[in-house]
Amino acid sequence: KSLEEPIYLFGQFFKKPLECLTLAYYLPQNAGDIARRFIKDPELLSFIDAECFIVSTVNALQTPMINASMVLCDRHFGGINYPVGGVGGIAKSLAKGLVDQGSEILYKANVTNIIMDRGKAVG
């Protein structure tokens, strides 16, 4: 479940209000200070910096904990989950699926118009 889903978030609050209020104390702080307070492994700290950079384009020392917590919970709950082939694998799989279904993809083409046919984009 995502921390961005209000129903889920409120459900968790009513199950464990004290824990949620404790968490609320940390959310406005930056993720880097909190990580460095509890973690000493430089490789793990580097990983946390990279994860924060992916979501906020700054390292963990400049990323609010609320942003970092959403990324770490959504992407890593139950294990580390990355698309096979990296993030680019998503676009490649989507393009392959479109071509397999009869579409044609023109790369590096400037779009000047979208051709519509009965409410659907066809070109």
Side-chain angles (χ1 to χ4, degrees):
K1 297 279 183 172
S2 172
L3 294 175
E4 295 173 309
E5 296 177 30
I7 294 171
Y8 172 74
L9 196 56
F10 286 122
Q12 293 305 304
F13 179 80
F14 289 117
K15 286 180 188 175
K16 297 186 176 189
L18 183 59
E19 289 86 346
C20 288
L21 290 173
T22 302
L23 178 62
Y25 166 78
Y26 287 101
L27 293 181
Q29 298 179 45
N30 76 61
D33 282 340
I34 294 170
R36 282 156 178 78
R37 198 175 319 147
F38 297 102
I39 300 169
K40 301 302 176 212
D41 182 329
E43 286 185 38
L44 183 53
L45 290 170
S46 179
F47 174 77
I48 292 169
D49 277 339
E51 287 293 295
C52 289
F53 188 83
I54 289 167
V55 71
S56 63
T57 69
V58 292
N59 69 24
L61 289 168
Q62 298 171 299
T63 302
M65 190 62 196
I66 190 165
N67 296 79
S69 64
M70 281 190 236
V71 170
L72 294 171
C73 288
D74 286 350
R75 288 176 46 141
H76 303 296
F77 181 75
I80 296 176
N81 301 296
Y82 291 100
V84 173
V87 176
I90 296 170
K92 288 177 184 176
S93 292
L94 177 60
K96 181 183 181 314
L98 290 168
V99 170
D100 288 351
Q101 294 297 312
S103 296
E104 180 184 359
I105 299 174
L106 303 175
Y107 293 95
K108 297 183 181 180
N110 292 325
V111 176
T112 57
N113 189 24
I114 297 175
I115 303 168
M116 303 293 289
D117 182 21
R118 295 183 214 144
K120 292 185 178 183
V122 296

